[in-house]
Structure formats: C-alpha cells, structure tokens
Amino acid sequence: MYNEIDLDKIDIAAEPPAEEPARQYYFMAKCRKYVQKLEEELGRKPVCCVKTFGCQMNARDSEKLTGILTDIGYEETEDEHADFVIYNTCTVRENANNKVYGRLGYLSNYKKKNPHMMIALCGCMMQEEQVVEKIQKSYRFVNLVFGTHNIYKFAELLYNSMESGSMIMDIWKETDKIVENLPNKRKFSFKSGVNIMFGCNNFCSYCIVPYVRGRERSRKPEEIIREIKALVADGVCEVMLLGQNVNSYGKNLENPTGFADLLREVNKIEGLKRIRFMTSHPKDLSDDLILAMKECDKVCKHMHLPLQSGSSRILQNMNRHYDKNQYLALVEKLRHAIPDIALTTDIIVGFPGETKEDFMETLDVVKQVEFDSAFTFIYSKRTGTPAAAMENQVAEEEVKERFDLLLKTVQQISAKKASALEGKTVEVLAEEENTQDSSLMTGRLSNNSIVHFKGTEDMTGKLLQVKLTECKGFYYLGEIVSNA
Ligand code: SAH
Ligand code: SF4
Ligand code: F3S
C-alpha cells in the first residue's frame, strides 16, 4: 500500500520509472524538494487549497489530489489565499462553469501580489475544448491545467509545472487505464467514498458527463475490497460506493460480475458498519440488487434513483430507456421488498419540448412516489449534447414557474415524510461534534437524514439507538436510548 512507501528512499537522480504508480511516487519525491525550498524561502510551511465543485466523484478525486499535496509537504487549508490552489471543476450545468471563471478572476488579483503562488485547474470542465481555449487566451496566469483522464499523473504534471515558467496543459481525450494505490487524504476520518467504476456509457441526451468522463470502466472487485479493508483498518466505518451508474458495475471486467455480488462481498468486511452507493440508473436496477440490499445488513435502506422526468415522451427524448409506468413499478417493487426504504431522486425541469402536460406528469410521479427528498434542476444546455441541438427549448419564465411549483411540492412531501419519523427510535451513526454547540453530536440515519443529540466526541463512528424527539424540517433533534 502507498502508506508504506518512503519518499525519502526514492533515488531522484535516477531516470523516472516507466510503470505506475512508481513513476508518480518518483515525481512526488522530486516535488517535495521544491516544496522544501519554498518553505525555506517563505520561512513557514507552504499551504495548499483544493477546492471541489460537482459530485461525490469529484470530491473523491480531490482527496487524491490532497493526498499528494500533503505528502510532498504542503499543509492543507480551506482558504483560497494559499501558495497552491487547485480547482477541481464540474461542468454538468452552466452555472458550475460560471462559478469557476468568477473565482479565477479573484485569484488573479491575489496572485499579482503573491507571484510565487501556483494555480491549477482540473476536472470535468477541462475536458471541454472551448473552456481550454478560453483559459489559454484569457487566463494566462494559470500554471497547470489537466483533465479527468490523466489525474493519476498529477505529481508528474505538478513537477513539470514547478520546473517550467509557463502554463502546462495536458488534456487527454480518453483512457482505459485505472491506476491503483496512489495516495489519498480523506476529508472525514470515519467515512469515505470508494470509486467502483469510472465514466458513463449512457449518453442521456442532456448530459455532458459521458463526454468529459469517458467510457465506463469498472475497478476489479479485489482492488475495491482491498481498499475498503485498508480504510476500515484506518478507522472508516461507512463507505459510499461511487459510480455514475453503479447498477452496470462489472460488465466490462475480464471476469464479469455484478453490483449485487459486489455489495455482498463488501458486506462481509469485518469492522465496516455501513454501506451506501450512488448513483443507480433505473434501467439497470436488477431484482438481484433488491435482494442483495435486503440480505445485506450493512447496506443502508436508501436508494437514490434519478427520475429526471415523469413524462414517458420526455424520458424517451432524454434517452433514459424507461417510461413513467416502469419507474413507478420499480418503486413499488423496492417498497414491497424493503418497506422502510428511503427514496431520493433528481429531476430536470424544462428539457427541450417539455409541455405543461409533460410537467404535470412529473408532478404526478412526485406525488405518487412521495420521495424523501429530491434534487431539482433547471435544464441547462450543454454544448455537444444532442439536447442542445433540439429546437424547441422552453421559455425561461415558463421553466421558472414550473420549477418553483415542483420545488414547493417536493418540500411539502419531504416535510411530511420527515415528520412521520418523529417519536421513533432509529439507528444512527454518530458523525461529528456539532459545529455550533459542542455539547451536541451530529449523526446520520440509515435514510441519510441528520440528527443532533446530546453526546460526546468519542462517540464518533459508533452506531447508536437514538429517539427522534423533534423534527425540525430537514433535520431532527434526538436523544440516545442505548448503544446499538
Ligand atoms: N449519473 C447520475 C447523474 C449524474 S449528474 C444519474 O444518471 O443519475 C447529476 C444530475 O444532474 C442528474 O441526475 C441530472 O438530474 C442533473 N443534470 C445532468 N445534466 C443536466 C443538464 N444538462 N441540465 C440540468 N440538470 C442536469
Ligand atoms: Fe449523465 Fe445519464 Fe450518465 Fe447519469 S447516466 S452521468 S445522467 S449520461
Ligand atoms: Fe460534475 Fe463531472 Fe461530477 S461534470 S457532476 S463533477 S462527473
């Protein structure tokens, strides 16, 4: 494992090794010399800031970047006034991009006063040609730009950037490579995301992810199990298995396997207490997965099952491969097998051609299913996707009206669902001391809701029986009944 590697023992005068991950460790050792020199010049430890935009996959990638940066000698900070700042970007909706440009403008002023500062950009936005052109033209102060496919080369690219006076840019169109055993530094001591697959093959017509993350690639089950065992040995009690469509896990492996079997294997890991996963595509949700969820005691009773639209016509245009009735039938099957399962979803409003009637179908599904919570999005046109070329884009005002109505409906239902748990005693994983009141601990229910209760920090990572005394809308107040 990587934590057994001693960077000081690497011969940096030698030629770089060709194989991975040894090559990256070699460049980390080289970068470390640079950071040591910087520390002498500054008279203090250099600090780095890794800023994440986007989904859980990006959050996990950022932990890998942070692992490398801290191993080579930077100290971590949340503050962007740092010696090294990297933005791990998202491009799923236009506003994600705008945020990055806004912040970059601000950073450039700070860099003018602190010329030794390094700025790097990576992540999904960098896989877009027009973004890269814009950065090359108008953001010359950026030191390093790379994409999603070569993130494993971060140490090498960073070293090149430290050596060079000008902008280093390296973007790949594709990769079939998965490099294991690189460093990572978790944000939370007790829980961790674990990639089980990368990329996406679904090409939903509105979505840019398949273009910026490439084709679906699954990690080998033994690598996943090995990583989780090491995490558990390091104090982790909850894992979130991550993939754009976990339900198609394992199809392209040398020895094909399925997500349900992976869950069963992960469930056997001693010391691990909770397993979550996201995201499930309704079209690939198998009966075997439902069975596995039922059988495996560590798997949380929660499924995030993106609906996107309740209109069968729109779903077809979205290329989702299921219709309204199939979605409803799936929900029924899930609830029949696991009665107390929490269901959450993603919904897009204003997809091209969406009529009032289509939207009413979405509202109808929301009311029938009664999701515990839902992320609602206004459709955002992404260059290069089939939906961007569709002619019948919906007027902004109309979309806004629908969006507000949907949000209101979703919130009313969430509040009703949440208050139904009031007075019940449930299993809670204590996560951390409450940030506002240190006499309280914050924990999470199996269904992903949050509860605050009287407790002490040493409870972190423990499963407790907590009575939910009061529902405060999106969270609960509770009291410990007993240690589970
Ligand atoms: N792989 C996941 C979703 C990843 S993106 C899945 O298929 O469920 C997260 C969510 O962003 C999507 O579920 C969708 O609701 C939303 N989204 C994706 N592209 C979008 C776009 N162009 N405009 C608005 N929302 C979008
Ligand atoms: Fe995008 Fe669809 Fe893939 Fe999800 S499944 S990442 S929405 S293309
Ligand atoms: Fe965004 Fe990339 Fe995730 S586009 S949602 S960060 S896969």
Side-chain angles (χ1 to χ4, degrees):
M1 260 338 248
Y2 80 86
N3 45 11
E4 286 152 18
I5 291 173
D6 184 350
L7 291 185
D8 289 332
K9 294 215 174 104
I10 295 174
D11 177 10
I12 54 174
E15 285 295 302
E19 74 281 9
E20 300 290 4
R23 187 175 173 90
Q24 298 313 310
Y25 285 101
Y26 167 89
F27 282 106
M28 282 169 61
K30 286 206 156 205
C31 287
R32 193 189 247 185
K33 291 275 177 270
Y34 172 94
V35 181
Q36 276 163 359
K37 205 166 133 247
L38 184 63
E39 182 173 347
E40 279 160 28
E41 282 164 18
L42 295 171
R44 60 168 172 82
K45 258 211 149 359
V47 288
C48 70
C49 173
V50 180
K51 183 95 207 152
T52 314
F53 300 83
C55 65
Q56 312 250 12
M57 242 114 357
N58 258 21
R60 184 65 180 148
D61 283 346
S62 287
E63 292 184 341
K64 296 175 186 169
L65 300 172
T66 308
I68 290 175
L69 287 166
T70 50
D71 276 6
I72 64 174
Y74 284 101
E75 219 149 70
E76 234 187 310
T77 171
E78 300 265 311
D79 186 353
E80 286 165 59
H81 301 103
D83 304 297
F84 183 91
V85 175
I86 181 161
Y87 287 163
N88 189 8
T89 62
C90 169
T91 187
V92 78
R93 286 169 289 274
E94 185 67 35
N95 55 4
N97 292 38
N98 294 338
K99 267 191 227 159
V100 169
Y101 290 127
R103 279 168 182 269
L104 270 180
Y106 177 76
L107 273 196
S108 87
N109 285 330
Y110 184 70
K111 186 170 174 169
K112 273 184 201 136
K113 290 179 218 134
N114 300 278
H116 76 277
M117 181 191 192
M118 288 182 78
I119 300 174
L121 297 171
C122 67
C124 297
M125 218 175 129
M126 302 307 130
Q127 293 296 138
E128 288 186 280
E129 252 165 59
Q130 70 276 22
V131 169
V132 167
E133 277 165 25
K134 186 166 169 169
I135 287 162
Q136 254 168 337
K137 213 168 119 212
S138 314
Y139 296 84
R140 296 294 315 161
F141 56 89
V142 172
N143 300 78
L144 170 62
V145 183
F146 57 98
T148 55
H149 302 303
N150 54 348
I151 188 167
Y152 74 87
K153 290 195 98 139
F154 176 49
E156 182 169 352
L157 294 166
L158 183 61
Y159 178 71
N160 293 343
S161 171
M162 286 166 167
E163 283 288 284
S164 140
S166 54
M167 187 192 276
I168 299 273
M169 191 171 259
D170 191 12
I171 317 277
W172 297 1
K173 283 217 161 3
E174 259 296 348
T175 185
D176 53 9
K177 212 169 165 148
I178 297 178
V179 178
E180 299 284 352
N181 294 324
L182 281 166
N184 72 79
K185 186 157 189 286
R186 293 193 307 279
K187 194 162 172 206
F188 300 98
S189 60
F190 58 91
K191 65 175 176 183
S192 179
V194 173
N195 299 106
I196 63 165
M197 59 205 295
F198 304 94
C200 180
N201 284 354
N202 291 307
F203 291 95
C204 302
S205 64
Y206 50 83
C207 185
I208 199 161
V209 171
Y211 304 88
V212 296
R213 285 274 174 174
R215 293 298 62 73
E216 208 171 273
R217 303 170 309 277
S218 295
R219 283 178 75 194
K220 290 184 189 144
E222 55 272 25
E223 295 284 4
I224 297 169
I225 301 291
R226 195 156 64 112
E227 179 177 353
I228 300 176
K229 282 185 176 162
L231 286 168
V232 170
D234 196 36
V236 164
C237 48
E238 174 176 315
V239 290
M240 164 86 84
L241 308 177
L242 298 171
Q244 293 298 351
N245 176 12
V246 293
N247 296 344
S248 71
Y249 169 77
K251 283 186 185 156
N252 56 356
L253 284 171
E254 224 169 274
N255 301 312
T257 170
F259 183 56
D261 284 337
L262 179 71
L263 269 188
R264 291 185 178 103
E265 287 308 307
V266 177
N267 197 64
K268 287 182 201 154
I269 297 177
E270 222 167 294
L272 183 66
K273 292 182 182 154
R274 272 185 173 174
I275 305 165
R276 298 183 187 277
F277 55 87
M278 85 190 298
T279 298
S280 282
H281 194 307
K283 79 174 165 70
D284 297 312
L285 203 160
S286 67
D287 290 350
D288 193 30
L289 174 60
I290 299 176
L291 193 65
M293 279 185 85
K294 211 177 142 152
E295 287 168 4
C296 297
D297 59 320
K298 294 174 187 170
V299 177
C300 288
K301 293 188 167 53
H302 171 212
M303 165 95 62
H304 185 67
L305 194 63
L307 166 68
Q308 312 302 3
S309 169
S311 154
S312 298
R313 193 179 70 87
I314 295 291
L315 284 169
Q316 184 163 24
N317 293 346
M318 285 178 160
N319 195 30
R320 290 288 290 179
H321 298 282
Y322 55 87
D323 63 17
K324 180 183 178 186
N325 287 334
Q326 284 166 329
Y327 188 93
L328 288 171
L330 202 51
V331 167
E332 186 148 330
K333 203 162 27 169
L334 276 164
R335 288 208 167 126
H336 181 73
I338 310 164
D340 51 348
I341 192 168
L343 291 175
T344 57
T345 200
D346 292 346
I347 300 169
I348 299 175
V349 180
F351 181 83
E354 185 190 78
T355 62
K356 196 129 212 153
E357 288 69 41
D358 292 316
F359 174 68
M360 293 317 283
E361 298 275 347
T362 300
L363 266 192
D364 183 47
V365 176
V366 166
K367 286 178 185 161
Q368 283 197 52
V369 174
E370 299 199 309
F371 292 106
D372 292 77
S373 77
F375 294 107
T376 50
F377 305 106
I378 287 180
Y379 167 73
S380 171
K381 196 171 169 174
R382 309 312 292 128
T383 310
T385 62
M390 292 179 186
E391 274 162 13
N392 38 6
Q393 308 278 328
V394 188
E396 213 173 294
E397 255 166 60
E398 179 65 34
V399 177
K400 186 80 182 59
E401 217 171 275
R402 290 178 198 170
F403 180 82
D404 290 344
L405 178 57
L406 176 66
L407 190 63
K408 210 174 98 197
T409 313
V410 158
Q411 285 174 344
Q412 275 168 354
I413 294 170
S414 300
K416 185 181 122 187
K417 296 279 284 192
S419 65
L421 283 181
E422 210 175 63
K424 295 220 159 77
T425 297
V426 294
E427 190 178 75
V428 166
L429 181 74
E431 293 205 338
E432 58 198 345
E433 195 179 85
N434 189 295
T435 38
Q436 271 137 45
D437 180 349
S438 64
S439 73
L440 294 179
M441 283 294 288
T442 297
R444 218 172 267 272
L445 281 61
S446 174
N447 75 7
N448 214 23
S449 304
I450 279 180
V451 56
H452 306 295
F453 53 91
K454 280 252 172 294
T456 44
E457 215 178 350
D458 58 333
M459 291 172 177
T460 305
K462 294 213 166 85
L463 283 173
L464 308 165
Q465 289 293 320
V466 173
K467 182 172 179 187
L468 306 174
T469 49
E470 196 182 344
C471 173
K472 291 280 200 183
F474 294 105
Y475 65 94
Y476 299 91
L477 296 180
E479 52 196 43
I480 299 176
V481 175
S482 70
N483 288 5

